[in-house]
Amino acid sequence: MTTPTTLAADEARIRLHELTVIDVRTRGEYAGGHLPGALNIPLDQIQRALPDIRHAADRGDVLVVCASGARSENACKILAENGVTAATLSGGTGAWAADGHELHRPRGTSRATWGMERQVRLTAGVIVLLGLLLGLVVHPAFQLVSAGIAGGLVFSALTNTCGMAAVLAKLPHNRPRAADLDNTLAALRSR
């Protein structure tokens, strides 16, 4: 049976036992709550994991999830370009939780983690305020920093991409530890 391009949360819950679920959010977001049984392979690591994902797709259907669906759609495009068919969860883990389905939180996760969207909003807001403040206190040209961020946000909305998120994903708290990713890939191979 071929997996549809998008699965609704209720359909995914019913089929969860037969799906290989790959969560493409950052390590911190994944630790904050993920679908039961989901494996964390951040979007920027998909290419590295491609052989193992292909192997899993040969054995059954693959469901890719993120917070809202945008990153999982990008991951599905990358997979499709490499001959791997995968579905995305409509609305992501946000829709999953909103429908009342359980999110798994690993033991030992003591600090609250911020989702990527929240990290982007904070960073963009701080940079805009800083540009405006420096524009008032130091030189008006600093206001161009705020204009640049505004332009980036418009471009992000129009293209459904986010350069700031790509940069923030490289921060240490968002990066998978090499051992964690190796363990995830080993678990993917054994499924």
Side-chain angles (χ1 to χ4, degrees):
M1 176 177 157
T2 304
T3 305
T5 304
T6 303
L7 290 179
D10 287 335
E11 183 180 359
R13 184 187 55 77
I14 292 167
R15 297 189 55 209
L16 198 57
H17 67 282
E18 66 186 54
L19 297 170
T20 297
V21 182
I22 298 172
D23 191 320
V24 295
R25 296 176 301 156
T26 65
R27 175 174 56 109
E29 291 174 294
Y30 175 82
H34 56 271
L35 273 67
L39 299 171
N40 184 219
I41 303 173
L43 180 58
D44 64 348
Q45 298 294 314
I46 288 291
Q47 290 289 350
R48 177 179 172 201
L50 194 56
D52 298 312
I53 297 170
R54 183 178 288 116
H55 184 66
D58 289 343
R59 292 187 316 260
D61 293 336
V62 174
L63 177 66
V64 182
V65 301
C66 67
S68 65
R71 283 178 280 178
S72 60
E73 285 179 17
N74 290 336
C76 285
K77 287 177 188 172
I78 293 168
L79 292 173
E81 289 167 0
N82 288 280
V84 178
T85 301
T88 184
L89 178 64
S90 179
T93 55
W96 178 270
D99 282 355
H101 304 307
E102 172 190 9
L103 287 176
H104 176 76
R105 289 178 176 80
R107 291 186 186 133
T109 306
S110 57
R111 65 180 179 90
T113 54
W114 284 15
M116 186 55 66
E117 183 180 329
R118 186 174 180 190
Q119 292 179 49
V120 167
R121 289 192 316 254
L122 174 70
T123 304
V126 166
I127 294 172
V128 166
L129 288 175
L130 187 60
L132 291 173
L133 179 64
L134 290 173
L136 290 172
V137 176
V138 178
H139 191 277
F142 278 106
Q143 293 176 352
L144 292 175
V145 172
S146 299
I149 294 298
L153 291 171
V154 169
F155 179 79
S156 175
L158 293 174
T159 62
N160 200 25
T161 62
C162 186
M164 188 178 291
V167 171
L168 291 173
K170 298 193 181 307
L171 293 175
H173 68 278
N174 286 326
R175 304 280 306 155
R177 293 183 207 87
D180 290 346
L181 187 56
D182 290 341
N183 291 338
T184 297
L185 295 178
L188 185 57
R189 278 181 227 115
S190 69
R191 286 189 172 199

PDB file of all heavy atoms in Angstrom, residues 92-131:
ATOM      1  N   GLY A  92       1.597  18.748  11.721  1.00  0.00           N
ATOM      2  CA  GLY A  92       2.723  18.389  12.585  1.00  0.00           C
ATOM      3  C   GLY A  92       2.336  17.969  13.988  1.00  0.00           C
ATOM      4  O   GLY A  92       1.187  17.604  14.265  1.00  0.00           O
ATOM      5  N   THR A  93       3.317  18.025  14.883  1.00  0.00           N
ATOM      6  CA  THR A  93       3.068  17.613  16.267  1.00  0.00           C
ATOM      7  C   THR A  93       2.091  18.552  16.962  1.00  0.00           C
ATOM      8  O   THR A  93       1.428  18.151  17.907  1.00  0.00           O
ATOM      9  CB  THR A  93       4.380  17.542  17.083  1.00  0.00           C
ATOM     10  OG1 THR A  93       5.054  18.797  16.996  1.00  0.00           O
ATOM     11  CG2 THR A  93       5.293  16.439  16.590  1.00  0.00           C
ATOM     12  N   GLY A  94       1.991  19.787  16.460  1.00  0.00           N
ATOM     13  CA  GLY A  94       1.007  20.714  17.021  1.00  0.00           C
ATOM     14  C   GLY A  94      -0.408  20.193  16.814  1.00  0.00           C
ATOM     15  O   GLY A  94      -1.226  20.197  17.739  1.00  0.00           O
ATOM     16  N   ALA A  95      -0.713  19.724  15.603  1.00  0.00           N
ATOM     17  CA  ALA A  95      -2.037  19.161  15.314  1.00  0.00           C
ATOM     18  C   ALA A  95      -2.238  17.851  16.070  1.00  0.00           C
ATOM     19  O   ALA A  95      -3.336  17.569  16.548  1.00  0.00           O
ATOM     20  CB  ALA A  95      -2.198  18.934  13.810  1.00  0.00           C
ATOM     21  N   TRP A  96      -1.178  17.057  16.168  1.00  0.00           N
ATOM     22  CA  TRP A  96      -1.240  15.789  16.905  1.00  0.00           C
ATOM     23  C   TRP A  96      -1.670  16.044  18.357  1.00  0.00           C
ATOM     24  O   TRP A  96      -2.603  15.425  18.858  1.00  0.00           O
ATOM     25  CB  TRP A  96       0.128  15.113  16.858  1.00  0.00           C
ATOM     26  CG  TRP A  96       0.250  13.829  17.598  1.00  0.00           C
ATOM     27  CD1 TRP A  96       0.625  13.670  18.911  1.00  0.00           C
ATOM     28  CD2 TRP A  96       0.026  12.505  17.096  1.00  0.00           C
ATOM     29  NE1 TRP A  96       0.645  12.337  19.237  1.00  0.00           N
ATOM     30  CE2 TRP A  96       0.283  11.606  18.145  1.00  0.00           C
ATOM     31  CE3 TRP A  96      -0.367  12.005  15.855  1.00  0.00           C
ATOM     32  CZ2 TRP A  96       0.159  10.227  17.990  1.00  0.00           C
ATOM     33  CZ3 TRP A  96      -0.485  10.638  15.705  1.00  0.00           C
ATOM     34  CH2 TRP A  96      -0.228   9.764  16.762  1.00  0.00           C
ATOM     35  N   ALA A  97      -1.000  16.978  19.019  1.00  0.00           N
ATOM     36  CA  ALA A  97      -1.318  17.303  20.411  1.00  0.00           C
ATOM     37  C   ALA A  97      -2.690  17.965  20.534  1.00  0.00           C
ATOM     38  O   ALA A  97      -3.442  17.683  21.462  1.00  0.00           O
ATOM     39  CB  ALA A  97      -0.239  18.204  20.999  1.00  0.00           C
ATOM     40  N   ALA A  98      -3.030  18.834  19.576  1.00  0.00           N
ATOM     41  CA  ALA A  98      -4.332  19.512  19.610  1.00  0.00           C
ATOM     42  C   ALA A  98      -5.482  18.524  19.489  1.00  0.00           C
ATOM     43  O   ALA A  98      -6.565  18.763  20.029  1.00  0.00           O
ATOM     44  CB  ALA A  98      -4.413  20.556  18.495  1.00  0.00           C
ATOM     45  N   ASP A  99      -5.245  17.414  18.796  1.00  0.00           N
ATOM     46  CA  ASP A  99      -6.268  16.378  18.673  1.00  0.00           C
ATOM     47  C   ASP A  99      -6.330  15.473  19.908  1.00  0.00           C
ATOM     48  O   ASP A  99      -7.093  14.510  19.935  1.00  0.00           O
ATOM     49  CB  ASP A  99      -6.020  15.517  17.429  1.00  0.00           C
ATOM     50  CG  ASP A  99      -6.458  16.204  16.143  1.00  0.00           C
ATOM     51  OD1 ASP A  99      -7.033  17.310  16.225  1.00  0.00           O
ATOM     52  OD2 ASP A  99      -6.223  15.639  15.059  1.00  0.00           O
ATOM     53  N   GLY A 100      -5.512  15.774  20.910  1.00  0.00           N
ATOM     54  CA  GLY A 100      -5.551  15.022  22.163  1.00  0.00           C
ATOM     55  C   GLY A 100      -4.699  13.765  22.187  1.00  0.00           C
ATOM     56  O   GLY A 100      -4.818  12.957  23.099  1.00  0.00           O
ATOM     57  N   HIS A 101      -3.813  13.612  21.201  1.00  0.00           N
ATOM     58  CA  HIS A 101      -2.955  12.437  21.160  1.00  0.00           C
ATOM     59  C   HIS A 101      -1.716  12.659  22.023  1.00  0.00           C
ATOM     60  O   HIS A 101      -1.229  13.778  22.160  1.00  0.00           O
ATOM     61  CB  HIS A 101      -2.553  12.103  19.727  1.00  0.00           C
ATOM     62  CG  HIS A 101      -3.722  11.913  18.807  1.00  0.00           C
ATOM     63  ND1 HIS A 101      -4.758  11.047  19.071  1.00  0.00           N
ATOM     64  CD2 HIS A 101      -4.025  12.496  17.625  1.00  0.00           C
ATOM     65  CE1 HIS A 101      -5.642  11.101  18.100  1.00  0.00           C
ATOM     66  NE2 HIS A 101      -5.217  11.981  17.199  1.00  0.00           N
ATOM     67  N   GLU A 102      -1.198  11.576  22.540  1.00  0.00           N
ATOM     68  CA  GLU A 102      -0.068  11.616  23.465  1.00  0.00           C
ATOM     69  C   GLU A 102       1.230  12.016  22.774  1.00  0.00           C
ATOM     70  O   GLU A 102       1.527  11.579  21.664  1.00  0.00           O
ATOM     71  CB  GLU A 102       0.112  10.219  24.084  1.00  0.00           C
ATOM     72  CG  GLU A 102       1.359  10.063  24.910  1.00  0.00           C
ATOM     73  CD  GLU A 102       1.626   8.613  25.291  1.00  0.00           C
ATOM     74  OE1 GLU A 102       0.949   7.704  24.789  1.00  0.00           O
ATOM     75  OE2 GLU A 102       2.539   8.411  26.086  1.00  0.00           O
ATOM     76  N   LEU A 103       2.004  12.853  23.457  1.00  0.00           N
ATOM     77  CA  LEU A 103       3.366  13.165  23.047  1.00  0.00           C
ATOM     78  C   LEU A 103       4.302  12.503  24.052  1.00  0.00           C
ATOM     79  O   LEU A 103       4.076  12.574  25.256  1.00  0.00           O
ATOM     80  CB  LEU A 103       3.621  14.669  23.028  1.00  0.00           C
ATOM     81  CG  LEU A 103       2.982  15.462  21.900  1.00  0.00           C
ATOM     82  CD1 LEU A 103       3.238  16.954  22.080  1.00  0.00           C
ATOM     83  CD2 LEU A 103       3.487  15.006  20.544  1.00  0.00           C
ATOM     84  N   HIS A 104       5.338  11.861  23.547  1.00  0.00           N
ATOM     85  CA  HIS A 104       6.317  11.218  24.413  1.00  0.00           C
ATOM     86  C   HIS A 104       7.401  12.227  24.770  1.00  0.00           C
ATOM     87  O   HIS A 104       7.893  12.945  23.910  1.00  0.00           O
ATOM     88  CB  HIS A 104       6.935  10.006  23.701  1.00  0.00           C
ATOM     89  CG  HIS A 104       8.007   9.345  24.479  1.00  0.00           C
ATOM     90  ND1 HIS A 104       7.748   8.534  25.556  1.00  0.00           N
ATOM     91  CD2 HIS A 104       9.348   9.389  24.344  1.00  0.00           C
ATOM     92  CE1 HIS A 104       8.894   8.099  26.057  1.00  0.00           C
ATOM     93  NE2 HIS A 104       9.873   8.605  25.327  1.00  0.00           N
ATOM     94  N   ARG A 105       7.755  12.271  26.047  1.00  0.00           N
ATOM     95  CA  ARG A 105       8.837  13.137  26.512  1.00  0.00           C
ATOM     96  C   ARG A 105       9.871  12.249  27.197  1.00  0.00           C
ATOM     97  O   ARG A 105       9.542  11.555  28.153  1.00  0.00           O
ATOM     98  CB  ARG A 105       8.313  14.186  27.476  1.00  0.00           C
ATOM     99  CG  ARG A 105       7.473  15.224  26.760  1.00  0.00           C
ATOM    100  CD  ARG A 105       6.878  16.261  27.694  1.00  0.00           C
ATOM    101  NE  ARG A 105       6.167  17.277  26.957  1.00  0.00           N
ATOM    102  CZ  ARG A 105       4.935  17.133  26.473  1.00  0.00           C
ATOM    103  NH1 ARG A 105       4.280  16.019  26.652  1.00  0.00           N
ATOM    104  NH2 ARG A 105       4.362  18.113  25.802  1.00  0.00           N
ATOM    105  N   PRO A 106      11.096  12.260  26.695  1.00  0.00           N
ATOM    106  CA  PRO A 106      12.123  11.385  27.265  1.00  0.00           C
ATOM    107  C   PRO A 106      12.393  11.700  28.731  1.00  0.00           C
ATOM    108  O   PRO A 106      12.295  12.850  29.154  1.00  0.00           O
ATOM    109  CB  PRO A 106      13.366  11.681  26.427  1.00  0.00           C
ATOM    110  CG  PRO A 106      12.908  12.459  25.257  1.00  0.00           C
ATOM    111  CD  PRO A 106      11.589  13.059  25.598  1.00  0.00           C
ATOM    112  N   ARG A 107      12.747  10.660  29.464  1.00  0.00           N
ATOM    113  CA  ARG A 107      13.140  10.859  30.865  1.00  0.00           C
ATOM    114  C   ARG A 107      14.421  11.671  30.897  1.00  0.00           C
ATOM    115  O   ARG A 107      15.244  11.579  29.995  1.00  0.00           O
ATOM    116  CB  ARG A 107      13.385   9.514  31.546  1.00  0.00           C
ATOM    117  CG  ARG A 107      12.132   8.743  31.721  1.00  0.00           C
ATOM    118  CD  ARG A 107      12.392   7.481  32.524  1.00  0.00           C
ATOM    119  NE  ARG A 107      11.182   6.698  32.536  1.00  0.00           N
ATOM    120  CZ  ARG A 107      11.121   5.415  32.288  1.00  0.00           C
ATOM    121  NH1 ARG A 107      12.220   4.736  32.039  1.00  0.00           N
ATOM    122  NH2 ARG A 107       9.968   4.786  32.298  1.00  0.00           N
ATOM    123  N   GLY A 108      14.575  12.440  31.939  1.00  0.00           N
ATOM    124  CA  GLY A 108      15.785  13.231  32.073  1.00  0.00           C
ATOM    125  C   GLY A 108      15.730  14.552  31.340  1.00  0.00           C
ATOM    126  O   GLY A 108      16.686  15.303  31.359  1.00  0.00           O
ATOM    127  N   THR A 109      14.628  14.859  30.704  1.00  0.00           N
ATOM    128  CA  THR A 109      14.475  16.159  30.050  1.00  0.00           C
ATOM    129  C   THR A 109      13.994  17.124  31.108  1.00  0.00           C
ATOM    130  O   THR A 109      12.823  17.193  31.421  1.00  0.00           O
ATOM    131  CB  THR A 109      13.456  16.088  28.891  1.00  0.00           C
ATOM    132  OG1 THR A 109      13.851  15.050  28.010  1.00  0.00           O
ATOM    133  CG2 THR A 109      13.398  17.396  28.143  1.00  0.00           C
ATOM    134  N   SER A 110      14.956  17.854  31.687  1.00  0.00           N
ATOM    135  CA  SER A 110      14.606  18.695  32.826  1.00  0.00           C
ATOM    136  C   SER A 110      14.261  20.122  32.426  1.00  0.00           C
ATOM    137  O   SER A 110      13.406  20.737  33.019  1.00  0.00           O
ATOM    138  CB  SER A 110      15.769  18.715  33.822  1.00  0.00           C
ATOM    139  OG  SER A 110      16.938  19.170  33.187  1.00  0.00           O
ATOM    140  N   ARG A 111      14.919  20.650  31.407  1.00  0.00           N
ATOM    141  CA  ARG A 111      14.651  22.046  31.077  1.00  0.00           C
ATOM    142  C   ARG A 111      13.634  22.145  29.938  1.00  0.00           C
ATOM    143  O   ARG A 111      13.562  21.280  29.084  1.00  0.00           O
ATOM    144  CB  ARG A 111      15.937  22.769  30.690  1.00  0.00           C
ATOM    145  CG  ARG A 111      16.581  22.254  29.433  1.00  0.00           C
ATOM    146  CD  ARG A 111      17.857  23.047  29.151  1.00  0.00           C
ATOM    147  NE  ARG A 111      18.492  22.552  27.962  1.00  0.00           N
ATOM    148  CZ  ARG A 111      18.259  23.001  26.736  1.00  0.00           C
ATOM    149  NH1 ARG A 111      17.383  23.955  26.544  1.00  0.00           N
ATOM    150  NH2 ARG A 111      18.873  22.509  25.687  1.00  0.00           N
ATOM    151  N   ALA A 112      12.870  23.192  30.006  1.00  0.00           N
ATOM    152  CA  ALA A 112      11.896  23.414  28.940  1.00  0.00           C
ATOM    153  C   ALA A 112      12.651  23.806  27.673  1.00  0.00           C
ATOM    154  O   ALA A 112      13.604  24.583  27.716  1.00  0.00           O
ATOM    155  CB  ALA A 112      10.935  24.525  29.338  1.00  0.00           C
ATOM    156  N   THR A 113      12.246  23.263  26.560  1.00  0.00           N
ATOM    157  CA  THR A 113      12.896  23.582  25.294  1.00  0.00           C
ATOM    158  C   THR A 113      11.952  24.424  24.449  1.00  0.00           C
ATOM    159  O   THR A 113      10.745  24.226  24.471  1.00  0.00           O
ATOM    160  CB  THR A 113      13.260  22.300  24.536  1.00  0.00           C
ATOM    161  OG1 THR A 113      12.090  21.493  24.407  1.00  0.00           O
ATOM    162  CG2 THR A 113      14.320  21.513  25.266  1.00  0.00           C
ATOM    163  N   TRP A 114      12.525  25.332  23.720  1.00  0.00           N
ATOM    164  CA  TRP A 114      11.738  26.196  22.862  1.00  0.00           C
ATOM    165  C   TRP A 114      11.713  25.617  21.459  1.00  0.00           C
ATOM    166  O   TRP A 114      12.731  25.164  20.939  1.00  0.00           O
ATOM    167  CB  TRP A 114      12.350  27.582  22.798  1.00  0.00           C
ATOM    168  CG  TRP A 114      12.114  28.430  24.001  1.00  0.00           C
ATOM    169  CD1 TRP A 114      11.672  28.026  25.219  1.00  0.00           C
ATOM    170  CD2 TRP A 114      12.327  29.826  24.097  1.00  0.00           C
ATOM    171  NE1 TRP A 114      11.585  29.094  26.064  1.00  0.00           N
ATOM    172  CE2 TRP A 114      11.988  30.214  25.401  1.00  0.00           C
ATOM    173  CE3 TRP A 114      12.769  30.783  23.209  1.00  0.00           C
ATOM    174  CZ2 TRP A 114      12.074  31.528  25.828  1.00  0.00           C
ATOM    175  CZ3 TRP A 114      12.861  32.092  23.645  1.00  0.00           C
ATOM    176  CH2 TRP A 114      12.501  32.451  24.941  1.00  0.00           C
ATOM    177  N   GLY A 115      10.548  25.680  20.834  1.00  0.00           N
ATOM    178  CA  GLY A 115      10.431  25.277  19.445  1.00  0.00           C
ATOM    179  C   GLY A 115      11.171  26.261  18.554  1.00  0.00           C
ATOM    180  O   GLY A 115      11.448  27.398  18.941  1.00  0.00           O
ATOM    181  N   MET A 116      11.486  25.813  17.341  1.00  0.00           N
ATOM    182  CA  MET A 116      12.246  26.654  16.416  1.00  0.00           C
ATOM    183  C   MET A 116      11.496  27.942  16.088  1.00  0.00           C
ATOM    184  O   MET A 116      12.095  29.012  16.005  1.00  0.00           O
ATOM    185  CB  MET A 116      12.568  25.869  15.142  1.00  0.00           C
ATOM    186  CG  MET A 116      13.468  26.628  14.191  1.00  0.00           C
ATOM    187  SD  MET A 116      15.031  27.196  14.911  1.00  0.00           S
ATOM    188  CE  MET A 116      15.841  25.654  15.243  1.00  0.00           C
ATOM    189  N   GLU A 117      10.188  27.853  15.912  1.00  0.00           N
ATOM    190  CA  GLU A 117       9.424  29.061  15.593  1.00  0.00           C
ATOM    191  C   GLU A 117       9.565  30.104  16.703  1.00  0.00           C
ATOM    192  O   GLU A 117       9.735  31.294  16.438  1.00  0.00           O
ATOM    193  CB  GLU A 117       7.952  28.708  15.384  1.00  0.00           C
ATOM    194  CG  GLU A 117       7.110  29.893  14.969  1.00  0.00           C
ATOM    195  CD  GLU A 117       5.644  29.534  14.770  1.00  0.00           C
ATOM    196  OE1 GLU A 117       5.352  28.393  14.378  1.00  0.00           O
ATOM    197  OE2 GLU A 117       4.813  30.414  15.017  1.00  0.00           O
ATOM    198  N   ARG A 118       9.529  29.653  17.947  1.00  0.00           N
ATOM    199  CA  ARG A 118       9.672  30.574  19.078  1.00  0.00           C
ATOM    200  C   ARG A 118      11.088  31.156  19.115  1.00  0.00           C
ATOM    201  O   ARG A 118      11.268  32.341  19.396  1.00  0.00           O
ATOM    202  CB  ARG A 118       9.359  29.836  20.378  1.00  0.00           C
ATOM    203  CG  ARG A 118       9.328  30.723  21.588  1.00  0.00           C
ATOM    204  CD  ARG A 118       8.879  29.961  22.813  1.00  0.00           C
ATOM    205  NE  ARG A 118       8.843  30.831  23.973  1.00  0.00           N
ATOM    206  CZ  ARG A 118       8.665  30.394  25.205  1.00  0.00           C
ATOM    207  NH1 ARG A 118       8.473  29.099  25.434  1.00  0.00           N
ATOM    208  NH2 ARG A 118       8.648  31.233  26.214  1.00  0.00           N
ATOM    209  N   GLN A 119      12.093  30.338  18.825  1.00  0.00           N
ATOM    210  CA  GLN A 119      13.467  30.833  18.780  1.00  0.00           C
ATOM    211  C   GLN A 119      13.619  31.897  17.695  1.00  0.00           C
ATOM    212  O   GLN A 119      14.293  32.913  17.908  1.00  0.00           O
ATOM    213  CB  GLN A 119      14.444  29.685  18.518  1.00  0.00           C
ATOM    214  CG  GLN A 119      14.563  28.697  19.660  1.00  0.00           C
ATOM    215  CD  GLN A 119      15.535  27.574  19.332  1.00  0.00           C
ATOM    216  OE1 GLN A 119      16.644  27.825  18.884  1.00  0.00           O
ATOM    217  NE2 GLN A 119      15.105  26.339  19.553  1.00  0.00           N
ATOM    218  N   VAL A 120      12.993  31.670  16.539  1.00  0.00           N
ATOM    219  CA  VAL A 120      13.063  32.634  15.438  1.00  0.00           C
ATOM    220  C   VAL A 120      12.372  33.935  15.834  1.00  0.00           C
ATOM    221  O   VAL A 120      12.901  35.025  15.597  1.00  0.00           O
ATOM    222  CB  VAL A 120      12.451  32.048  14.141  1.00  0.00           C
ATOM    223  CG1 VAL A 120      12.234  33.132  13.090  1.00  0.00           C
ATOM    224  CG2 VAL A 120      13.338  30.942  13.593  1.00  0.00           C
ATOM    225  N   ARG A 121      11.198  33.840  16.451  1.00  0.00           N
ATOM    226  CA  ARG A 121      10.476  35.065  16.855  1.00  0.00           C
ATOM    227  C   ARG A 121      11.296  35.885  17.836  1.00  0.00           C
ATOM    228  O   ARG A 121      11.377  37.112  17.726  1.00  0.00           O
ATOM    229  CB  ARG A 121       9.112  34.715  17.446  1.00  0.00           C
ATOM    230  CG  ARG A 121       8.110  34.220  16.437  1.00  0.00           C
ATOM    231  CD  ARG A 121       6.691  34.158  16.985  1.00  0.00           C
ATOM    232  NE  ARG A 121       6.585  33.592  18.310  1.00  0.00           N
ATOM    233  CZ  ARG A 121       6.105  32.376  18.586  1.00  0.00           C
ATOM    234  NH1 ARG A 121       5.701  31.598  17.610  1.00  0.00           N
ATOM    235  NH2 ARG A 121       6.023  31.952  19.821  1.00  0.00           N
ATOM    236  N   LEU A 122      11.924  35.209  18.815  1.00  0.00           N
ATOM    237  CA  LEU A 122      12.748  35.922  19.798  1.00  0.00           C
ATOM    238  C   LEU A 122      13.931  36.594  19.108  1.00  0.00           C
ATOM    239  O   LEU A 122      14.192  37.780  19.323  1.00  0.00           O
ATOM    240  CB  LEU A 122      13.243  34.966  20.893  1.00  0.00           C
ATOM    241  CG  LEU A 122      14.237  35.613  21.871  1.00  0.00           C
ATOM    242  CD1 LEU A 122      13.526  36.628  22.743  1.00  0.00           C
ATOM    243  CD2 LEU A 122      14.938  34.576  22.705  1.00  0.00           C
ATOM    244  N   THR A 123      14.644  35.842  18.297  1.00  0.00           N
ATOM    245  CA  THR A 123      15.830  36.379  17.633  1.00  0.00           C
ATOM    246  C   THR A 123      15.469  37.543  16.716  1.00  0.00           C
ATOM    247  O   THR A 123      16.131  38.593  16.747  1.00  0.00           O
ATOM    248  CB  THR A 123      16.551  35.270  16.831  1.00  0.00           C
ATOM    249  OG1 THR A 123      16.859  34.198  17.720  1.00  0.00           O
ATOM    250  CG2 THR A 123      17.822  35.788  16.195  1.00  0.00           C
ATOM    251  N   ALA A 124      14.434  37.384  15.912  1.00  0.00           N
ATOM    252  CA  ALA A 124      14.015  38.460  15.012  1.00  0.00           C
ATOM    253  C   ALA A 124      13.604  39.697  15.812  1.00  0.00           C
ATOM    254  O   ALA A 124      13.996  40.821  15.472  1.00  0.00           O
ATOM    255  CB  ALA A 124      12.874  37.999  14.111  1.00  0.00           C
ATOM    256  N   GLY A 125      12.838  39.489  16.871  1.00  0.00           N
ATOM    257  CA  GLY A 125      12.404  40.618  17.697  1.00  0.00           C
ATOM    258  C   GLY A 125      13.560  41.358  18.342  1.00  0.00           C
ATOM    259  O   GLY A 125      13.605  42.592  18.349  1.00  0.00           O
ATOM    260  N   VAL A 126      14.534  40.619  18.868  1.00  0.00           N
ATOM    261  CA  VAL A 126      15.703  41.246  19.502  1.00  0.00           C
ATOM    262  C   VAL A 126      16.500  42.043  18.474  1.00  0.00           C
ATOM    263  O   VAL A 126      16.922  43.174  18.730  1.00  0.00           O
ATOM    264  CB  VAL A 126      16.588  40.178  20.194  1.00  0.00           C
ATOM    265  CG1 VAL A 126      17.951  40.737  20.555  1.00  0.00           C
ATOM    266  CG2 VAL A 126      15.899  39.637  21.435  1.00  0.00           C
ATOM    267  N   ILE A 127      16.703  41.460  17.291  1.00  0.00           N
ATOM    268  CA  ILE A 127      17.475  42.163  16.258  1.00  0.00           C
ATOM    269  C   ILE A 127      16.748  43.419  15.788  1.00  0.00           C
ATOM    270  O   ILE A 127      17.368  44.469  15.602  1.00  0.00           O
ATOM    271  CB  ILE A 127      17.802  41.217  15.082  1.00  0.00           C
ATOM    272  CG1 ILE A 127      18.758  40.113  15.546  1.00  0.00           C
ATOM    273  CG2 ILE A 127      18.431  41.993  13.922  1.00  0.00           C
ATOM    274  CD1 ILE A 127      18.983  39.019  14.513  1.00  0.00           C
ATOM    275  N   VAL A 128      15.432  43.338  15.604  1.00  0.00           N
ATOM    276  CA  VAL A 128      14.663  44.517  15.184  1.00  0.00           C
ATOM    277  C   VAL A 128      14.756  45.606  16.245  1.00  0.00           C
ATOM    278  O   VAL A 128      15.026  46.777  15.931  1.00  0.00           O
ATOM    279  CB  VAL A 128      13.191  44.144  14.893  1.00  0.00           C
ATOM    280  CG1 VAL A 128      12.316  45.385  14.794  1.00  0.00           C
ATOM    281  CG2 VAL A 128      13.096  43.323  13.618  1.00  0.00           C
ATOM    282  N   LEU A 129      14.537  45.246  17.508  1.00  0.00           N
ATOM    283  CA  LEU A 129      14.620  46.249  18.581  1.00  0.00           C
ATOM    284  C   LEU A 129      16.023  46.843  18.683  1.00  0.00           C
ATOM    285  O   LEU A 129      16.180  48.057  18.863  1.00  0.00           O
ATOM    286  CB  LEU A 129      14.208  45.636  19.916  1.00  0.00           C
ATOM    287  CG  LEU A 129      12.720  45.335  20.067  1.00  0.00           C
ATOM    288  CD1 LEU A 129      12.452  44.609  21.382  1.00  0.00           C
ATOM    289  CD2 LEU A 129      11.905  46.611  19.991  1.00  0.00           C
ATOM    290  N   LEU A 130      17.032  45.999  18.560  1.00  0.00           N
ATOM    291  CA  LEU A 130      18.406  46.480  18.621  1.00  0.00           C
ATOM    292  C   LEU A 130      18.697  47.434  17.464  1.00  0.00           C
ATOM    293  O   LEU A 130      19.317  48.494  17.657  1.00  0.00           O
ATOM    294  CB  LEU A 130      19.380  45.294  18.601  1.00  0.00           C
ATOM    295  CG  LEU A 130      20.849  45.604  18.816  1.00  0.00           C
ATOM    296  CD1 LEU A 130      21.066  46.258  20.180  1.00  0.00           C
ATOM    297  CD2 LEU A 130      21.672  44.329  18.717  1.00  0.00           C
ATOM    298  N   GLY A 131      18.236  47.101  16.260  1.00  0.00           N
ATOM    299  CA  GLY A 131      18.430  47.981  15.102  1.00  0.00           C
ATOM    300  C   GLY A 131      17.752  49.329  15.300  1.00  0.00           C
ATOM    301  O   GLY A 131      18.333  50.379  14.984  1.00  0.00           O
TER     302      GLY A 131
END
